[in-house]
Amino acid sequence: MVFEIILIYGLVEFYYSSIEAELNRSAQSIVYNYNQYLNNYELYKDAKVLLEYIPGNTVAQVQIIDDRGVLLADSIEPSMEGMELNYYDINMALSGKQSIWKGKISQTGEPVFSVSWPITSPDSEKVIGVVRVITTLSDVNEILKNHIIILVSLGFCIVFLIFLTGLALTNTIISPVKEITSAAKTMAQGRFDVRVSKRYNDEIGELGDTLNYMAQEVSNHQKMKNDFIASISHELRTPLTSIMGWIITINSGDIDSKEELREGLDIIEKESKRLAVLVDELLDFSKFDAGVITLRRSTVNLGELLSYIKRQMEPRAVRKGITITIDVDEELPWIDADENRLKQVFINIIDNSFKFTQKGGYIDIIGRKKESSVLIRIEDNGCGIPKENIPKVKQRFFKGDSLVSGSGLGLAICDEIIKLHNGELNIESTVGKGTTVDVILPVQLEI
Ligand SMILES: Nc1ncnc2c1ncn2[C@@H]1O[C@H](COP(=O)(O)OP(=O)(O)OP(=O)(O)O)[C@@H](O)[C@H]1O
Ligand SMILES: [Mg+2]
């Protein structure tokens, strides 16, 4: 609107000022001619003659008026001669100033534009008459009207286009954003089953997808947490049930012999230890999850650590009739690691090998230097892991069907510890042939 008002105003101004300039030129030339050629006579005598000096290209009406305002000569309507004219511009010119007037002729109502210039006598500088040049504004106003109609309709078109654009924006941006916002609010209240529907494949659609993805992840996480708690409860109940059972039996005095009492107390001790271990492992997990576990790093001589573990395991190997061997490269590099945590990892893995290997089997501990890492391999020829279970053994609480399986946390903890060391834990296994667990640890260059 502002633009249109400025444009229309400028247009009217342009047309009117060019008309004014044209009229002024004519008036000026008549005044000039009078002063040049005729000023030695009386104006009333010269008026008719003066009209002949009108420039040939003047289309306007020219009037010569005397100092009382009486029309002396008129180029278009001679019948009006002798009438006294009373217009603003004539009165101003009679007082010595060039002036303009825009208005309507009272009889016809025609819009006109007039310019009046004073005619002065050369000797006295006194105003002796007026030259008035008049033109009709009907034609110009008609042109202006057409222009304004075009401009206004153009304006309406633009407003309509803006309206359409707004509508499109509402559909593609504002409504989807509103939908996403309301979905996000619902999610914030804990309902992660809501999903944002995708309307367009643009940035906002992508935002919706991301939000959906987040909701999915949170749901998964919640489910995992619930499963975890369920597993823990289950895991805690088994030893507790057996402890409770024995305590009730002992407490009721139904025990016949000392041996039976001893057996009961043994079971209570064993189960309590199991509970303590389980609680320790769970604490470890909550620390892993909170990301607060920090490695107490030092320079670790892997070769020595592995020999130490092997020696520690020897009595168990003898007891179970399993051969345990170690084969570690001489120049196995020292690494920057948490020695106790690594020990926990290797003992866990070797413990599994012992549990799942029959009498007469073997367990090999192998240490090899690679380009920028160390490979520790623990190999057994035990019962092996069914193919479909291999990807699951690192999950918390996953244990096979075997009776010797523990709580199923061992490998999950090992995996976390190795990840903290930026290493890898890979398991390969064939049922009936045996299992190979590879631990790959990076070697820091500064050591
Ligand atoms: N060397 C192996 N040979 C055969 N099966 C194995 C071996 N190592 C692991 N498994 C299988 O993977 C499962 C998970 O092992 P993991 O060490 O996590 O748990 P676990 O030994 O059962 O219990 P925990 O270590 O907590 O006492 C085991 O229950 C077993 O089924
Ligand atoms: Mg284990």
Side-chain angles (χ1 to χ4, degrees):
M1 266 175 64
V2 169
F3 177 70
E4 291 239 313
I5 288 170
I6 292 173
L7 206 66
I8 290 170
Y9 180 80
L11 206 65
V12 170
E13 197 59 15
F14 170 74
Y15 272 96
Y16 283 5
S17 62
S18 37
I19 290 172
E20 188 185 333
E22 187 62 41
L23 295 180
N24 273 328
R25 250 198 308 281
S26 302
Q28 188 192 22
S29 100
I30 293 167
V31 170
Y32 173 80
N33 286 332
Y34 176 76
N35 288 335
Q36 200 72 12
Y37 308 113
L38 300 166
N39 61 0
N40 38 356
Y41 302 100
E42 302 283 309
L43 180 61
Y44 67 91
K45 286 185 196 156
D46 299 331
K48 287 263 186 247
V49 187
L50 198 49
L51 287 186
E52 284 159 24
Y53 285 94
I54 299 171
N57 55 358
T58 306
V59 288
Q61 181 179 5
V62 179
Q63 295 175 327
I64 309 295
I65 296 146
D66 74 3
D67 55 354
R68 285 161 301 132
V70 175
L71 183 63
L72 296 177
D74 191 314
S75 65
I76 290 180
E77 284 174 280
S79 59
M80 298 228 321
E81 284 165 17
M83 279 172 70
E84 197 179 319
L85 302 178
N86 186 17
Y87 289 106
Y88 168 81
D89 55 318
I90 298 175
N91 295 335
M92 286 302 285
L94 284 174
S95 69
K97 287 185 204 107
Q98 304 167 5
S99 63
I100 59 171
W101 179 72
K102 251 184 295 186
K104 282 184 179 147
I105 291 179
S106 41
Q107 297 95 323
T108 55
E110 195 186 356
V112 293
F113 193 157
S114 68
V115 165
S116 291
W117 282 49
I119 305 172
T120 50
S121 62
D123 43 344
S124 62
E125 289 289 321
K126 199 177 135 248
V127 178
I128 54 165
V130 172
V131 172
R132 188 172 187 236
V133 189
I134 311 155
T135 187
T136 173
L137 288 178
S138 306
D139 301 344
V140 171
N141 283 354
E142 189 63 26
I143 294 173
L144 281 175
K145 202 175 88 193
N146 290 341
H147 281 332
I148 289 171
I149 288 174
I150 291 172
L151 281 176
V152 168
S153 19
L154 212 71
F156 275 114
C157 287
I158 290 172
V159 168
F160 184 65
L161 273 181
I162 289 173
F163 174 74
L164 286 186
T165 317
L167 218 64
L169 281 186
T170 311
N171 274 333
T172 56
I173 297 177
I174 298 172
S175 310
V177 166
K178 273 193 181 155
E179 199 187 318
I180 290 176
T181 310
S182 89
K185 276 188 189 150
T186 317
M187 287 174 190
Q189 283 158 4
R191 281 193 43 212
F192 289 98
D193 53 332
V194 286
R195 290 290 177 272
V196 181
S197 59
K198 186 172 187 169
R199 285 202 226 172
Y200 302 101
N201 209 356
D202 54 3
E203 283 80 1
I204 297 199
E206 212 172 295
L207 179 65
D209 282 350
T210 313
L211 197 70
N212 287 343
Y213 176 68
M214 185 199 81
Q216 184 63 47
E217 284 298 294
V218 174
S219 311
N220 290 349
H221 214 80
Q222 274 179 344
K223 188 177 172 295
M224 225 167 77
K225 202 175 78 187
N226 291 341
D227 290 353
F228 190 57
I229 291 172
S231 318
I232 291 171
S233 315
H234 179 79
E235 221 43 58
L236 292 177
R237 183 177 293 134
T238 323
L240 276 178
T241 313
S242 113
I243 292 171
M244 280 259 280
W246 275 103
I247 288 177
I248 289 167
T249 316
I250 295 167
N251 208 16
S252 66
D254 283 351
I255 303 280
D256 302 330
S257 61
K258 256 201 158 146
E259 286 84 70
E260 208 181 343
L261 181 65
R262 170 111 316 170
E263 189 196 345
L265 290 174
D266 273 350
I267 289 175
I268 290 174
E269 188 190 337
K270 216 177 85 202
E271 293 297 311
S272 305
K273 272 188 188 153
R274 225 180 106 188
L275 271 180
V277 170
L278 197 69
V279 169
D280 277 347
E281 286 176 333
L282 287 175
L283 278 178
D284 264 1
F285 269 122
S286 72
K287 283 191 209 151
F288 282 128
D289 277 355
V292 294
I293 206 141
T294 41
L295 298 176
R296 281 201 212 99
R297 284 181 187 269
S298 60
T299 317
V300 178
N301 182 341
L302 269 180
E304 230 167 58
L305 177 69
L306 291 172
S307 317
Y308 172 81
I309 294 173
K310 189 238 167 193
R311 277 200 306 280
Q312 203 185 328
M313 292 293 179
E314 247 154 18
R316 189 172 173 189
V318 172
R319 229 183 313 132
K320 285 207 71 180
I322 292 171
T323 327
I324 183 162
T325 55
I326 181 164
D327 168 17
V328 172
D329 282 355
E330 284 275 319
E331 66 279 21
L332 211 57
W334 291 42
I335 63 164
D336 186 36
D338 186 327
E339 184 159 11
N340 279 324
R341 290 285 180 192
L342 283 190
K343 201 155 129 193
Q344 187 184 354
V345 170
F346 297 131
I347 288 180
N348 250 314
I349 298 171
I350 296 171
D351 174 65
N352 284 346
S353 290
F354 271 118
K355 282 196 291 193
F356 302 104
T357 304
Q358 300 304 92
K359 198 178 164 115
Y362 68 84
I363 300 172
D364 276 352
I365 304 169
I366 299 158
R368 294 278 176 268
K369 182 185 160 15
K370 299 274 173 216
E371 248 166 57
S372 58
S373 59
V374 194
L375 166 76
I376 314 293
R377 170 170 292 176
I378 288 146
E379 212 179 281
D380 65 52
N381 63 345
C383 63
I385 307 167
K387 211 173 180 178
E388 68 274 13
N389 285 348
I390 295 180
K392 298 188 206 151
V393 292
K394 285 199 267 179
Q395 289 172 8
R396 295 165 189 192
F397 296 113
F398 178 84
K399 44 195 171 187
D401 312 321
S402 164
L403 283 175
V404 285
S405 290
S407 59
L409 287 175
L411 285 177
I413 291 179
C414 293
D415 194 44
E416 296 279 358
I417 293 172
I418 296 303
K419 270 189 203 147
L420 273 181
H421 282 89
N422 299 323
E424 274 175 50
L425 183 118
N426 303 324
I427 298 164
E428 273 171 43
S429 187
T430 317
V431 174
K433 283 209 163 143
T435 305
T436 307
V437 181
D438 282 353
V439 174
I440 299 160
L441 289 167
V443 176
Q444 289 78 7
L445 289 171
E446 60 264 38
I447 292 164

